[in-house]
């Protein structure tokens, strides 16, 4: 049996020293072998973290979107080589920005159309733009995106399709597939899923993933059972400790178009999210329910980045992704020797990270999954996530 004493001690240390509260679940072959809950769901009121507490997933929401995309591909409803203009005709004549040696900025046609693959692997040349560009911003694509979104933001609310339509005339930063740039690709894929299914993205998530897997404690919106009181408070790290984020920060979790901000964000707990991660780890099946083929998951986790893009991906953020490549929306282990720490998964172990401190990985060789969550900014991921990965895998090695 695995020995989780070191992982348990690590989480206790986190809660005592670096995070307001945290949770972790480790599973294998469809069974949860370890759960740990430490610290506080509400730091001011000293309300302890419980298994039922929900965490904001931020970018880990994308994992559900990409899983649906892979399922739709398996069903023959989309191809990775399909131009985005098949779904968004206004994107048919996209251009790119080019800066001459003398600093002159001009536009040129793209070498080829932007495809579903380019958006999924974050190589479409469009960064994130969730608010007006900073005054010091120099990226011409970001500045153009910011200008394009001004009338959309002025409405006070907007959905994924609104943002995609606004971005149609914006020149991208480079030819598709040539570089890595984390950003708007995930919103594009959310829009593709909506076009194919005829559903809003949150509805597609429920239909294709949450309901079949019995993920009753997971959603992008508050419901009768997924309530605000279950959501842990969000905090900012300050010199004096933790400063609570205002409730307005969670506006998009409330039902109603007046609360939409163009990026559905998941709420879940480690126990419930483990169901999807175990489906990944166990070849597309969980608790007798098959969501997708094992071959589809194998396709999903193969590195898709060019040599240049892979170098950019692995070296950004102080080497957080060292040893990993990037498949269809997921981090995928390529080189165990370069992976930080004394232990990691097998080649092909895959997962992702959320900006508020969540992290997950599934290992299809050992059929192990690890899900870790805290909610704070900055999330200090370089310290917390690598340490959790190492302690969890060491538990099996020992």
């Amino acid at each position: 049996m695995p020995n989780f004493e070191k992982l348990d001690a690590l989480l206790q240390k986190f809660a005592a020293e670096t995070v307001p509260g945290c949770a972790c679940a480790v599973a294998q072959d469809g069974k949860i072998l370890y759960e740990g809950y430490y610290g506080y769901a509400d730091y001011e009121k000293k309300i302890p973290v419980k298994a039922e507490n929900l965490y904001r997933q931020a970018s880990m929401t994308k994992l559900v979107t990409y899983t649906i995309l892979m399922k739709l591909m398996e069903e023959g409803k989309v191809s990775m080589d399909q131009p985005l203009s098949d779904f968004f005709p206004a994107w048919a004549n996209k251009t790119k920005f080019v800066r001459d040696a003398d600093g002159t900025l001009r536009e040129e046609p793209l070498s080829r159309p932007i495809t579903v693959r380019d958006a999924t692997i974050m190589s479409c040349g469009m960064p994130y733009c969730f608010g007006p560009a900073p005054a010091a911003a120099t990226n011409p694509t970001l500045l153009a995106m910011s200008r394009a979104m001004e009338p959309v933001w002025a409405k006070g609310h907007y959905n994924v399709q609104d943002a995609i339509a606004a971005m149609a005339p914006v020149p991208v930063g480079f030819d598709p597939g040539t570089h890595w740039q984390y950003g708007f690709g995930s919103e594009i894929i959310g829009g593709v899923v909506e076009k194919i299914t005829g559903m809003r993205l949150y509805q597609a998530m429920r239909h294709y993933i949450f309901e079949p897997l019995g993920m009753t404690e997971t959603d992008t919106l508050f419901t009768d059972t997924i309530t605000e009181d279950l959501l842990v408070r969000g905090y900012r790290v300050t010199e004096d400790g933790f400063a609570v984020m205002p409730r307005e920060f969670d506006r998009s979790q409330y039902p109603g178009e007046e609360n939409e901000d163009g990026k559905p964000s998941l709420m879940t707990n480690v126990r419930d999210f483990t169901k999807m991660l175990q489906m990944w780890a166990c070849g597309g099946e969980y608790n007798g329910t098959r969501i997708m083929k094992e071959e589809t998951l194998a396709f999903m986790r193969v590195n898709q980045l060019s040599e240049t893009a892979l170098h950019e991906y692995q070296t950004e953020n102080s080497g957080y992704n060292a040893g990993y490549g990037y498949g269809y929306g997921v981090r995928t282990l390529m080189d165990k020797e370069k992976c930080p720490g004394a232990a990691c998964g097998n080649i092909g172990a895959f997962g992702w990270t959320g900006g508020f401190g969540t992290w997950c990985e599934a290992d299809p060789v050992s059929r192990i999954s690890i899900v870790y969550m805290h909610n704070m900014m900055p999330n200090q991921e370089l310290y917390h996530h690598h340490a959790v990965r190492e302690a969890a895998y060491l538990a099996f090695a020992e």
Side-chain angles (χ1 to χ4, degrees):
M1 291 291 293
N3 181 350
F4 292 106
E5 290 182 3
K6 291 181 179 178
L7 177 59
D8 210 48
L10 179 68
L11 300 183
Q12 292 182 56
K13 178 179 173 66
F14 286 175
E17 299 177 1
T18 59
V19 302
C22 59
C24 185
V26 183
Q28 186 177 34
D29 286 319
K31 297 180 180 179
I32 293 180
L33 304 180
Y34 170 83
E35 291 180 77
Y37 304 95
Y38 292 100
Y40 300 105
D42 189 313
Y43 192 76
E44 285 71 33
K45 296 180 180 179
K46 296 297 184 283
I47 300 174
V49 170
K50 298 180 180 179
E52 294 78 20
N53 281 124
L54 306 171
Y55 290 79
R56 303 160 188 82
Q57 300 306 301
S59 289
M60 269 174 41
T61 305
K62 301 175 179 63
L63 298 182
V64 183
T65 304
Y66 295 138
T67 300
I68 298 171
L69 180 72
M70 291 293 104
K71 183 172 176 60
L72 295 174
M73 183 201 71
E74 181 179 287
E75 295 172 355
K77 296 177 180 177
V78 63
S79 164
M80 295 301 106
D81 294 321
Q82 202 164 350
L84 290 179
S85 57
D86 283 3
F87 305 98
F88 315 112
W91 281 56
N93 298 308
K94 294 287 279 187
T95 59
K96 63 182 177 183
F97 278 123
V98 175
R99 193 176 295 277
D100 293 332
D102 62 0
T104 303
L105 190 67
R106 56 187 172 84
E107 293 181 36
E108 281 188 0
L110 295 179
S111 62
R112 61 170 176 78
I114 302 173
T115 65
V116 173
R117 173 183 285 106
D118 298 321
T120 310
I121 68 173
M122 297 295 175
S123 288
C124 65
M126 302 191 81
Y128 274 132
C129 184
F130 292 137
T138 59
N139 182 322
T141 297
L142 176 60
L143 293 170
M145 292 171 74
S146 182
R147 289 191 295 270
M149 284 297 292
E150 286 176 0
V152 179
W153 292 327
K155 294 195 311 179
H157 61 87
Y158 66 100
N159 59 41
V160 171
Q161 299 297 334
D162 293 334
I164 292 172
M167 297 301 178
V170 175
V172 301
F174 48 79
D175 276 321
T178 58
H179 293 278
W180 157 265
Q181 186 175 51
Y182 195 56
F184 193 64
S186 57
E187 279 64 45
I188 295 171
I189 296 305
V192 169
V193 168
E194 289 188 343
K195 290 287 188 178
I196 295 172
T197 64
M199 303 177 188
R200 296 296 302 277
L201 185 56
Y202 74 90
Q203 294 171 326
M205 289 179 173
R206 292 172 180 173
H207 176 78
Y208 285 97
I209 305 297
F210 305 155
E211 291 171 2
L213 291 177
M215 296 173 68
T216 58
E217 299 170 88
T218 302
D219 211 310
T220 63
L221 300 172
F222 291 127
T223 67
D224 291 342
T225 55
I226 300 173
T227 55
E228 186 177 5
D229 64 297
L230 291 174
L231 184 64
V232 301
R233 296 304 302 265
Y235 293 91
R236 290 189 181 276
V237 181
T238 70
E239 293 182 356
D240 300 321
F242 301 115
V244 67
M245 294 179 183
R247 290 294 187 186
E248 174 65 17
F249 185 76
D250 298 315
R251 168 190 163 187
S252 64
Q253 313 297 161
Y254 293 89
E257 69 170 16
E258 69 274 13
N259 297 312
E260 293 181 332
D261 66 358
K263 53 180 192 313
S265 184
L266 207 63
M267 300 173 289
T268 187
N269 55 50
V270 295
R271 184 182 290 172
D272 217 40
F273 204 65
T274 289
K275 295 173 183 177
M276 191 180 85
L277 267 288
Q278 271 294 290
M279 182 272 289
W280 278 6
C282 298
E285 184 176 350
Y286 173 78
N287 198 25
T289 298
R290 177 159 294 282
I291 300 297
M292 58 209 307
K293 296 177 182 178
E294 187 170 0
E295 294 82 358
T296 304
L297 285 167
F299 177 80
M300 183 180 186
R301 66 179 189 269
V302 174
N303 174 61
Q304 297 295 316
L305 298 182
S306 66
E307 184 176 347
T308 297
L310 181 62
H311 176 74
E312 293 166 343
Y313 165 76
Q314 291 180 334
T315 55
E316 72 174 7
N317 192 18
S318 301
Y320 178 76
N321 290 312
Y324 285 83
Y326 194 73
Y328 288 103
V330 293
R331 171 194 302 117
T332 182
L333 186 59
M334 297 175 65
D335 189 337
K336 296 180 69 169
E337 297 300 319
K338 294 180 180 178
C339 186
C344 60
N346 292 288
I347 299 300
F350 65 116
W352 196 239
T353 299
F356 300 129
T358 56
W359 175 90
C360 67
E361 185 163 287
D363 185 334
V365 176
S366 62
R367 298 165 72 89
I368 291 169
S369 67
I370 310 161
V371 178
Y372 169 81
M373 297 179 186
H374 68 241
N375 272 179
M376 70 180 195
M377 296 180 71
N379 64 24
Q380 300 175 2
E381 59 191 14
L382 281 163
Y383 169 62
H384 295 97
H385 297 167
H386 291 170
V388 168
R389 178 179 59 197
E390 178 177 333
Y393 282 120
L394 278 176
F396 291 88
E398 295 177 358

